[in-house]
């Protein structure tokens, strides 16, 4: 062990509840000469052993806990056990849902702080976002190769939170070549995923169940898919017999990929439109022109980056929901989402309710959307919950 961390009196409580983060302010003293990512033992103020974690000198989250088991060492075996456990935890999803793309490791919620591993058919994408994950990169890659011997591996550690950990952004092939777009199969729908340039690790796996659920309310519908990215909500709509779908996104790259996805699935292209526009002004124009839809999907990017931006973000959510509601036919549906972890479900529901009042519409909430179960949240890590949504009937 490189060294140890000794907590201030009473600051052990969250560690005892197995929360994986230890903040700088909870630490009384650090002993030993520690480098970024080094493994440390954590003690309470009475010198009782609490946990073992990774030290991160640049981050306010000074330690991320690997284990609460004193006998467990952070070696190759540790990573392989964690990854095998994560795979086992997803066996029902893989067996019951028709998909060859899933999140294998959801970082803290799977006991591997800072480590995200996604599988897209024969490609495994790694994202290492903490000092500890970086320190053990070789072991993690070794464990992935052991579990998926024939897979290609690509790294997408190009997320700015790495800078908070004192790490450079990094991406590129780890094993194999030919990382051109891969076609995944999700519920018998083919979707092109670009692991090199796509958002996150390439695709929004977390919305898999929302796509299924929303499409049940789209038969014969005129659908407006806002913030469409590669068009998947719209694609599910057409495959499930929607009458017409308009996909709106600000990125032409995303829209051309969306178009390819519709073609891949042999959709009737006469029923699909791809519009490059800013959703805020697009929706305002639609409402001014009295356009009306049977189902509108609002799946915007993360509006809230920190607590200071919550108020401004709330206005953004209110705006798009208000104008969308004005454009929904009586008896139609709104599927509305927020993927901002700092936006609570309660606040989000209140914003949508306020938007309905202002739009002079009544809503019945039929379902609450949640991140797909391969993104499940550990009960000791509530921060893992970020994606929420409402499926509302508009009266
Ligand atoms: N619904 C998608 C994911 C959406 S991600 C899916 O299930 O795969 C958010 C998308 O919003 C991105 O494609 C981004 O290009 C787009 N975007 C961000 N701001 C926008 C804006 N103001 N107007 C239109 N599109 C926007």
């Amino acid at each position: 062990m490189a060294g140890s961390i000794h907590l201030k009196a009473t600051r052990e409580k969250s560690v005892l509840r197995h929360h994986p983060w230890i903040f700088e302010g909870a630490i009384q003293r650090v002993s030993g000469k520690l480098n970024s990512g080094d493994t440390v033992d954590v003690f309470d103020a009475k010198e009782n052993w609490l946990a073992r974690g990774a030290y991160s000198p640049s981050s306010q989250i000074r330690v991320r806990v690997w284990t609460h088991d004193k006998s467990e060492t952070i070696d190759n075996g540790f990573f392989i056990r964690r990854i095998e456990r994560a795979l086992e935890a997803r066996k029902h999803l893989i067996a019951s849902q028709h998909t060859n793309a899933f999140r294998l490791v959801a970082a803290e919620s799977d006991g591997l702080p800072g480590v995200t591993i996604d599988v897209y058919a024969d490609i495994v994408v790694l994202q290492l976002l903490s000092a500890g994950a970086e320190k053990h990169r070789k072991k993690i890659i070794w464990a992935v190769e052991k579990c998926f011997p024939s897979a290609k591996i690509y790294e997408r550690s190009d997320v700015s939170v790495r800078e908070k950990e004192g790490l450079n952004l990094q991406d590129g092939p780890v094993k194999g070549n030919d990382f051109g777009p891969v076609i995944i199969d999700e519920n018998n729908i083919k979707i092109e995923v670009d692991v090199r340039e796509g958002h996150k690790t390439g695709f929004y796996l977390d919305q898999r169940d929302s796509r299924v659920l929303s499409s049940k309310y789209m038969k014969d519908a005129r659908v407006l898919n806002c913030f469409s990215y590669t068009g998947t909500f719209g694609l599910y709509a057409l495959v499930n017999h929607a009458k017409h779908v308009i996909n709106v996104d600000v990125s032409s790259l995303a829209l051309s990929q969306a178009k390819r996805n519709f073609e891949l699935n042999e959709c009737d292209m006469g029923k699909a439109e791809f519009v490059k526009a800013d959703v805020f002004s697009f929706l305002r124009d639609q409402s001014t022109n009295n356009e009306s839809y049977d189902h509108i999907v609002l799946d915007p990017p993360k509006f809230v980056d920190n607590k200071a931006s919550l108020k401004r973000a709330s206005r953004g959510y209110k705006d798009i929901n208000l104008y969308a509601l004005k454009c929904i036919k009586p008896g139609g549906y709104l599927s509305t989402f927020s993927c901002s972890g700092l936006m609570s479900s309660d606040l989000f529901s209140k914003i949508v309710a306020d938007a309905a009042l202002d739009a002079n519409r009544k809503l019945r909430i039929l379902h609450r959307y949640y991140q797909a179960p391969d993104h499940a949240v550990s009960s000791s890590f509530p921060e893992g919950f970020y994606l929420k949504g409402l499926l509302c009937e508009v009266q």
Side-chain angles (χ1 to χ4, degrees), residues 199 204 207 211 227-229 232-233 249-251 277-280 299 301:
H199 290 184
Y204 291 90
Q207 287 286 35
R211 292 190 269 274
F227 307 98
S228 66
Y229 188 49
T232 47
F233 276 98
D249 202 282
V250 82
S251 150
D278 169 35
V279 165
F280 287 83
D299 184 24

Side-chain angles (χ1 to χ4, degrees), residues 293-346:
Y293 296 90
D294 300 299
H295 197 145
I296 297 185
V297 178
L298 295 176
D299 184 24
K302 192 163 115 185
F303 286 163
V304 195
D305 284 326
N306 47 52
K307 284 191 181 136
S309 64
L310 192 56
K311 215 169 170 181
R312 195 165 48 83
S314 301
R315 278 200 296 274
Y317 284 116
K318 167 107 183 264
D319 242 37
I320 51 174
N321 281 282
L322 168 65
Y323 286 101
L325 283 165
K326 288 184 175 186
C327 299
I328 297 176
K329 287 180 194 157
Y333 300 94
L334 171 70
S335 285
T336 181
F337 298 92
S338 163
C339 62
S340 303
L342 290 169
M343 163 77 57
S344 69
S345 287
D346 283 353

Side-chain angles (χ1 to χ4, degrees), residues 204-215:
Y204 291 90
L205 293 163
D206 51 3
Q207 287 286 35
R208 185 189 310 107
D209 289 5
S210 316
R211 292 190 269 274
V212 173
L213 181 53
S214 63
S215 67

Side-chain angles (χ1 to χ4, degrees), residues 235-278:
L235 191 52
Y236 270 67
L238 273 199
V239 169
N240 290 287
H241 313 292
K243 196 159 52 191
H244 189 86
V245 177
I246 303 180
N247 300 286
V248 185
D249 202 282
V250 82
S251 150
S252 11
L253 208 70
L255 287 168
S256 45
Q257 209 176 358
K259 209 167 185 179
R260 281 199 299 281
N261 281 334
F262 279 63
E263 284 160 357
L264 260 176
N265 290 278
E266 295 172 5
C267 292
D268 177 350
M269 296 308 270
K271 293 182 176 173
E273 284 176 58
F274 303 85
V275 178
K276 180 173 162 30
D278 169 35

